[in-house]
Amino acid sequence: MPSGTDREQVDALNTALYEAMERGDLDALSALWLDDDSPGVSCVHPGWRVLSGRGEVLRSYALIMANTEYIQFFLTDVAVSVAGDTALVTCTENILSGGPAEESGALGPLVGQLVVATNVFRRTPDGWRIWCHHGSPVLAETDDGQDDETPA
């Protein structure tokens, strides 16, 4: 069993999720999620429909990893709450990702994106595991402080 308080364990697991994504390590990422017998495993990537069940969730990550040359997460506004055997992490994912490699082998253009995320964890006999991930894009703000999508 991992050491540290519940909050520290959940925070470390949350960080491990993003580190596995950065490395493109599907095995490490898979080990972080609840097992096949756990009901309610779900994921919403920005712009995607709700994915339900461990298999569908892990396939989505495999697809993202296979089609992303480079990705890096800078997490900000991280807040961890624990209530019994359930934990909630909210954070802002400051994402830098690389497009497809050029013919020369150089990394394609880098793109930045902000996503607010909610990650829900459940305590198991083997420690905390991810139960649900939900990410929503953050709309860009204009210089006057209004969202680009906000009608005038």
Side-chain angles (χ1 to χ4, degrees):
M1 197 68 117
S3 62
T5 67
D6 287 338
R7 287 188 80 248
E8 291 168 338
Q9 290 174 30
V10 169
D11 188 42
L13 184 63
N14 191 67
T15 299
L17 168 68
Y18 294 99
E19 289 174 346
M21 282 286 295
E22 289 177 346
R23 292 190 314 271
D25 188 341
L26 187 60
D27 290 336
L29 186 133
S30 298
L32 302 173
W33 283 82
L34 284 171
D35 62 29
D36 290 326
D37 297 331
S38 300
V41 171
S42 65
C43 179
V44 178
H45 299 295
W48 292 40
R49 64 177 180 78
V50 176
L51 304 173
S52 298
R54 178 181 164 88
E56 191 172 18
V57 168
L58 295 179
R59 276 190 296 281
S60 74
Y61 281 103
L63 181 64
I64 290 168
M65 290 178 185
N67 289 289
T68 304
E69 296 287 329
Y70 172 84
I71 192 163
Q72 188 171 13
F73 295 89
F74 300 95
L75 301 182
T76 57
D77 309 315
V78 179
V80 180
S81 302
V82 178
D85 291 336
T86 304
L88 178 75
V89 176
T90 57
C91 61
T92 301
E93 303 171 353
N94 300 268
I95 305 169
L96 184 62
S97 60
E102 304 292 331
E103 287 184 24
S104 66
L107 184 63
L110 294 177
V111 177
Q113 180 181 14
L114 285 179
V115 172
V116 290
T118 302
N119 296 316
V120 182
F121 300 84
R122 254 185 38 204
R123 187 191 321 266
T124 74
D126 297 320
W128 292 97
R129 295 293 180 264
I130 303 168
W131 190 4
C132 174
H133 167 80
H134 187 133
S136 296
V138 175
L139 298 176
E141 290 187 15
T142 61
D143 289 338
D144 62 7
Q146 289 187 342
D147 293 341
D148 286 342
E149 302 294 319
T150 304

